Amino acid sequence: MHVLVTGGAGYIGSHTVLHLLAAGHEVVVVDDFSNARPTVVSRLEELAGQAIPVHSFDVADIDKLDSLVTELAAEGRPVEAVIHFAAFKAVGESVAEPLAYYRNNLGATLAVAEVMVRHAIPHLVFSSSATVYGADAPVPMTEDLPTSATNPYGWTKVMNEQVLRDAAVAHPWLRVALLRYFNPVGAHPSGRIGEDPSEVPNNLMPYIAQVAVGRREQLSVFGDDYDTVDGTGVRDYIHVEDLAAGHLAALEWIAGHDRALSVWNLGTGRGTSVLELVAAFEAASGREIPYQIVERRPGDIASSYADPTRAQTELGWRTVRSVEDMCADTWRWQQANPEGYPA
Ligand code: UD1
């Protein structure tokens, strides 16, 4: 298939581009590089052994997006599917700047969906998040739980899902997959691409990795009095390579089935506590990770992990990489790129 990948230079997008190319799909990337480095592209080309067309603009710019799709069709490379990653994703920032989050994350999806309808492009895979299960969901989380959110970032995911549900009803030829990611971590086994937060990391794994490599002094563990195995928060960490494989499986499934809207959790189904992840990273890196226990982070929940049965059954996809693999691959990337991608 000819696949347009928005946010294809980002963390999850870049890993997915390699999986698409390896499976023989043709890829065109659109990314505005607001949270990605141009170096990603040369690294991807080196790993893929081929040139990758990249267009640098904001997908919310519907005229530019429409022109690109028109041009590709005129060149005999009509877009047949879109994987839409491009979005802002920092929870704290979304609380401080909700309007920027709603404008960016809703504007991008509206432009993508509208251009798809104009050009009759049927297949859409959308980056959603387990954040749509809100604060009180029972674990393991199944796809039929009600959706809600605790912050503007989370609401943009809930709202985008609704936009796409409505579009799939009105245009029944659309084939939409909503992929609800749990906690993506890890890096490509080459150590050439990985997660490169532009600011102080909000998320646990990149923070641990930066402590291990000496960029930060110690980890703050947000609370040790949750009702979990050791009192620290439990999450379903999923290797980004397994997650990328999940996108390929979802895309190929929707292209072969007549279902307008599909929702799949992408997680391992296993929970790991903060302190368990710290111990696993220490083992993988041979470095000590100093930490202190601090107050709970507002908005955090005790436990979040997937029931991945639906994706396993329908897609024939399952995660194959362990927490040890996630730590080893994160460490390889972090050691080879202590300051992230070169500017
Ligand atoms: C967070 C977001 C979620 C978003 C996801 C991916 C919040 C409340 N949730 O998920 O909406 O979809 O990232 O970007 O921000 N922790 C520490 N110390 C740290 C960082 C984290 O102890 O420095 C703990 C947290 O309390 C949590 C676990 O580590 O128990 C995982 O945190 P994080 O990596 O931020 O992911 P989520 O909170 O699950």
Side-chain angles (χ1 to χ4, degrees), residues 91 129 131 153 183 203-204 220-222 235 237 297 300:
V91 172
S129 166
T131 198
Y153 158 76
N183 290 59
N203 298 117
L204 180 60
S220 294
V221 175
F222 299 142
R235 296 291 183 274
Y237 298 96
R297 181 171 64 180
D300 271 357

Side-chain angles (χ1 to χ4, degrees), residues 89-92 129-131 150-151 153-154 181-185 195 201-208 219-223 226 232-235 237 274 296-302 304:
K89 64 175 178 106
V91 172
S129 166
T131 198
T150 56
N151 56 69
Y153 158 76
Y181 313 155
F182 280 70
N183 290 59
V185 297
E195 185 171 14
N202 299 303
N203 298 117
L204 180 60
M205 183 67 111
Y207 204 103
I208 291 177
L219 172 70
S220 294
V221 175
F222 299 142
Y226 287 105
T232 64
V234 164
R235 296 291 183 274
Y237 298 96
V274 174
R296 291 181 177 194
R297 181 171 64 180
D300 271 357
I301 57 176
S304 160

